[in-house]
Amino acid sequence: MEERGLSLWIYVGVLALMLMGALQRVLPLHLSSWPALVARLWASALMEWLGAFWTAALLIFSLALGLAWWLRSARVSGVALLAPEGRAVCITGCDSGFGKASAKRLDALGFKVFATVMDLSGEGAMELRSACSSRLSLLQVDITRPEQVQQMLLAIKTELGLKGLWGLVNNAGVCVNFGDAELSLMSTYRRCMEVNFFGSLSVTKTLLPLLRRSRGRIVTVSSPAGDQPFPCLAAYGASKAALNLLTNTLRHELEPWGVQVSTILPSSYRTGQSGNELYWGRQQDHLLLNLGPALLEEYGQDYLAETRELFQEHARNAAEDLSPVVNAIVQALLSPQPRVRYYAGPGVGFMYFLSSYLPYSVSDTFLQKLFVKKKLMPQALRRHPGLGLQAGVNNNNNNNNNNNNEEKSEQ
């Protein structure tokens, strides 16, 4: 009885913490400014009170949750995977990174692999030729060019004949540049959308008849930036957000056809151009040439330089072992019951937990400390501090006072 009572109190405490987080998010959206302020203060005070009494309970709950997750993972990993022999899979973006590593692994497992690359004579393509079996077929495909996507379809049909395609791994993607949303060029937004969203959509729609024929799998390598507001990744994150929604929609629509759809959400890894400082230097120069002088003056070149250095530092510290992502792709392709989402790498699941159940202030702070830890303010705010947050607070107070005076005069 005592154990049951303790479990009940732990459950109630965690629910209360989650409720407080939800209240802090929802209340300001539905109440006028003064009641919202009172409600927010009340919620904050109540959270502090609960935190004082429920820290131990929350720790116990977290440990129990971790143990349950470990037991579930062990049970899932113990389930026999489907046999890869005789199954064909197409992977986009195999010049480097996750695509190249996945092509090697799937070929070694016995898949018939169609690996798309941008350059058939590039280092990635040459490495795949030397490392893989004759089952692997290299296809030169720019997924933003419809004619090349159609040529890919014809090549796959020619090799497979009447057989269907078991799997599509949407891996090709690009982060054109990074920086504040206001400082990002429209060409950056368009290029990210063109590759990460429209390119993946084009490949998926083109290959869907073959995937439906085999009741196969679609595995999309996306990014937590599509769900979380990472600073300085607005263009990239927006394209991944569109991709995430498309993938979830396909998951519902293709269920009657027997096609199962999964999303891979990796943590930070060193792939593609992420560690290429020469590339980011050229992108920075291009940005400086195309930014308006007034905007550049307000933010300052030192602000942009700090952003670049912080991003490169983050890239240098990114993980080089890509196996968690490759393992997730294999599981999504061969598990009898693949997951909807695979959190591939340390910290990703915890980040989603914070953003789902705790106040925005907590999850936002976590993201800021996890990614680019900016120290410099924009140049205009350093020169004129009154333009920033405090000025906004003063303006809000003035507006509230004006509203109160109007109400009194009406009375």
Side-chain angles (χ1 to χ4, degrees):
M1 289 293 293
E2 291 180 0
E3 292 181 358
R4 188 175 301 174
L6 178 62
S7 299
L8 177 61
W9 280 111
I10 292 173
Y11 181 67
V12 171
V14 173
L15 282 180
L17 286 172
M18 291 165 57
L19 177 61
M20 291 305 99
L23 281 172
Q24 284 194 315
R25 294 184 179 208
V26 174
L27 281 172
L29 299 178
H30 298 285
L31 303 177
S32 60
S33 59
W34 184 79
L37 179 60
V38 173
R40 192 175 182 86
L41 290 173
W42 172 82
S44 298
L46 190 54
M47 278 196 68
E48 290 180 6
W49 180 82
L50 285 169
F53 287 92
W54 293 104
T55 301
L58 187 58
L59 178 61
I60 294 172
F61 174 79
S62 300
L63 291 173
L65 189 64
L67 178 61
W69 180 263
W70 179 82
L71 290 173
R72 180 182 180 276
S73 300
R75 187 174 70 251
V76 170
S77 61
V79 175
L81 298 179
L82 302 175
E85 290 79 9
R87 301 181 193 271
V89 61
C90 175
I91 313 172
T92 62
C94 295
D95 296 88
S96 62
F98 303 138
K100 184 175 70 174
S102 298
K104 288 182 179 179
R105 173 77 70 83
L106 296 178
D107 175 76
L109 288 174
F111 276 97
K112 165 62 184 175
V113 177
F114 296 96
T116 78
V117 294
M118 290 286 288
D119 184 2
L120 286 174
S121 60
E123 290 184 9
M126 294 173 63
E127 184 178 340
L128 287 175
R129 284 194 190 95
S130 62
C132 297
S133 72
S134 59
R135 288 188 305 273
L136 183 132
S137 296
L138 284 170
L139 305 173
Q140 183 168 337
V141 181
D142 179 345
I143 63 172
T144 67
R145 298 180 61 179
E147 70 277 7
Q148 292 192 13
V149 174
Q150 287 300 315
Q151 290 170 4
M152 174 195 70
L153 174 63
L154 291 176
I156 293 174
K157 278 185 171 180
T158 300
E159 287 212 39
L160 294 183
L162 297 177
K163 290 176 58 178
L165 181 69
W166 173 252
L168 165 64
V169 180
N170 281 315
N171 169 71
V174 63
C175 178
V176 177
N177 205 353
F178 50 85
D180 292 35
E182 187 179 14
L183 294 173
S184 298
L185 303 176
M186 287 304 298
S187 59
T188 298
Y189 286 96
R190 292 190 180 98
R191 181 60 181 169
C192 284
M193 287 297 295
E194 192 64 33
V195 177
N196 300 338
F197 177 69
F198 288 113
S200 297
L201 173 60
S202 174
V203 170
T204 303
K205 283 174 62 68
T206 300
L207 295 180
L208 259 176
L210 299 182
L211 292 163
R212 286 191 285 103
R213 185 183 302 170
S214 64
R215 298 171 64 86
R217 307 283 172 87
I218 298 175
V219 181
T220 296
V221 180
S222 187
S223 169
D227 297 316
Q228 314 291 337
F230 279 92
C232 301
L233 284 182
Y236 177 76
S239 66
K240 290 296 187 177
L243 181 62
N244 288 348
L245 183 57
L246 169 68
T247 303
N248 278 328
T249 304
L250 287 171
R251 179 169 57 84
H252 290 291
E253 294 177 349
L254 295 175
E255 185 178 1
W257 294 93
V259 176
Q260 294 176 288
V261 181
S262 299
T263 302
I264 312 293
L265 296 163
S267 58
S268 180
Y269 290 94
R270 195 178 302 178
T271 61
Q273 299 284 7
S274 62
N276 188 341
E277 296 190 9
L278 182 61
Y279 170 81
W280 296 117
R282 290 197 300 266
Q283 293 300 96
Q284 183 86 339
D285 293 340
H286 179 72
L287 175 64
L288 291 173
L289 285 173
N290 288 275
L291 271 183
L295 195 58
L296 185 57
E297 175 68 20
E298 289 187 327
Y299 277 89
Q301 288 198 29
D302 56 347
Y303 181 87
L304 275 71
E306 183 200 41
T307 302
R308 174 188 167 186
E309 183 167 337
L310 289 171
F311 182 87
Q312 290 180 343
E313 179 184 354
H314 181 80
R316 286 192 291 268
N317 295 327
E320 296 185 34
D321 178 16
L322 309 183
S323 59
V325 178
V326 176
N327 292 340
I329 291 172
V330 172
Q331 288 286 329
L333 287 170
L334 292 179
S335 174
Q337 294 182 324
R339 300 177 193 171
V340 173
R341 286 189 158 194
Y342 289 85
Y343 301 119
V348 183
F350 180 67
M351 177 173 56
Y352 274 87
F353 173 81
L354 289 181
S355 65
S356 299
Y357 298 112
L358 295 183
Y360 284 123
S361 58
V362 176
S363 57
D364 288 351
T365 301
F366 178 79
L367 285 181
Q368 289 165 0
K369 292 186 178 299
L370 178 70
F371 195 48
V372 289
K373 309 175 187 69
K374 294 190 69 63
K375 296 179 181 178
L376 282 179
M377 295 288 285
Q379 185 169 261
L381 296 181
R382 280 176 275 157
R383 290 177 177 173
H384 309 287
L387 293 175
L389 181 61
Q390 188 58 45
V393 172
N394 293 336
N395 289 336
N396 288 336
N397 291 336
N398 292 334
N399 291 336
N400 291 337
N401 292 335
N402 292 335
N403 291 337
N404 293 335
N405 292 335
E406 291 175 2
E407 290 175 2
K408 290 179 180 178
S409 62
E410 289 176 359
Q411 292 174 357

